[in-house]
Amino acid sequence: DVQMTQSPSTLSASVGDRVTITCRASQSVNTWLAWYQQRPGKAPKLLIYKASSLESGVPSRFSGSGSGTEFTLTISNLQPDDFATYYCQQYNSYSYTFGQGTKLEIK
Amino acid sequence: EVQLLESGGGLVQPGGSLRLSCAASGFAFSSYAITWVRQAPGKGLEWVSDVSGSGDITKYADSVKGRFTTSRDNSKSTVFLQMNSLRAEDTAVYYCAKRTAAAVVRDYFDYWGQGTLVTVSS
């Protein structure tokens, strides 16, 4: 199985900040990578697919980049609703695997 | 509006069985594959199973292969996850999620249900 490793595991930031989360795959997944946001007690929500495509309705302050084994999710101008846990997920090969998550906390 | 509603979770003893349902609305159900993903308490997300839009192709994580079976009834817009020989490590919130194609191909999950909690304990 492809292992997905996110860094950092926890990130403290303030409203208005710009933050970047990194996701590394143990082997190439091309651009078959998605990012999800999960708020406490809620289901995950799709943010980005195919590494850099923004899902309809998701604010443009979210952006994704990367290919192969290294990917980033960048959130600009952090808003209060953005403090949540973020997961990357590869869908290049079974079993589809997720990163362990990055918890974005208010500083 | 796309909606997915899971049901059937609860407390079950180790070795027992449970059947989860995922009722869908707001889209052409048979045109999309459906995925099950689980999340153990305080842990990350784990892909569990896929079923194609027609129901003829299923995929399973190694951790559940041979114990879980996914099926669907397109006439009722519902997907089922039959879970047998349950173990303590199967304790999790189980989510169903819609895919963006009928086939179980490289494809992400664009809508998720709210989840149903399965607790395996004596």
Side-chain angles (χ1 to χ4, degrees):
Chain A
D1 292 358
V2 179
Q3 305 302 313
M4 306 300 291
T5 304
Q6 288 181 231
S7 59
S9 295
T10 307
L11 183 55
S12 296
S14 302
V15 172
D17 284 354
R18 173 188 166 107
V19 297
T20 296
I21 299 169
T22 298
C23 176
R24 289 186 174 87
S26 60
Q27 62 191 72
S28 177
V29 299
N30 297 296
T31 55
W32 305 114
L33 185 110
W35 289 96
Y36 300 89
Q37 175 194 67
Q38 187 178 34
R39 297 190 177 102
K42 301 296 185 183
K45 173 188 172 184
L46 175 67
L47 300 174
I48 301 283
Y49 61 94
K50 211 162 186 302
S52 61
S53 296
L54 190 68
E55 173 68 352
S56 175
V58 174
S60 58
R61 61 178 183 275
F62 291 89
S63 62
S65 66
S67 65
T69 62
E70 188 146 339
F71 303 87
T72 59
L73 172 70
T74 299
I75 314 171
S76 303
N77 187 22
L78 275 172
Q79 297 300 298
D81 271 354
D82 299 339
F83 292 94
T85 299
Y86 293 84
Y87 294 93
C88 63
Q89 180 231 343
Q90 68 82 19
Y91 51 99
N92 180 63
S93 60
Y94 283 103
S95 302
Y96 295 158
T97 42
F98 292 86
Q100 81 280 12
T102 294
K103 185 175 182 180
L104 178 55
E105 299 180 328
I106 299 177
K107 186 183 288 184
Chain B
E1 180 192 5
V2 172
Q3 290 193 330
L4 298 162
L5 184 63
E6 302 92 339
S7 61
L11 175 64
V12 60
Q13 292 189 338
S17 297
L18 212 54
R19 188 197 202 201
L20 305 184
S21 298
C22 169
S25 61
F27 62 98
F29 184 70
S30 63
S31 295
Y32 298 95
I34 299 290
T35 287
W36 289 97
V37 173
R38 68 184 180 183
Q39 186 170 36
K43 302 297 184 183
L45 301 167
E46 180 188 14
W47 171 78
V48 172
S49 177
D50 285 345
V51 59
S52 63
S54 62
D56 59 340
I57 297 174
T58 54
K59 301 280 189 182
Y60 300 96
D62 286 345
S63 57
V64 307
K65 201 172 292 182
R67 300 187 299 123
F68 289 12
T69 302
T70 298
S71 61
R72 64 192 293 159
D73 182 343
N74 285 346
S75 69
K76 297 181 179 177
S77 297
T78 302
V79 171
F80 305 99
L81 182 66
Q82 177 68 43
M83 304 185 296
N84 298 331
S85 303
L86 282 162
R87 306 165 180 166
E89 54 264 36
D90 296 319
T91 294
V93 173
Y94 285 74
Y95 296 99
C96 62
K98 173 186 166 293
R99 303 283 287 275
T100 67
V104 288
V105 293
R106 292 189 179 103
D107 181 28
Y108 49 94
F109 318 147
D110 58 354
Y111 291 92
W112 297 61
Q114 89 293 344
T116 187
L117 176 62
V118 172
T119 303
V120 184
S121 175
S122 54

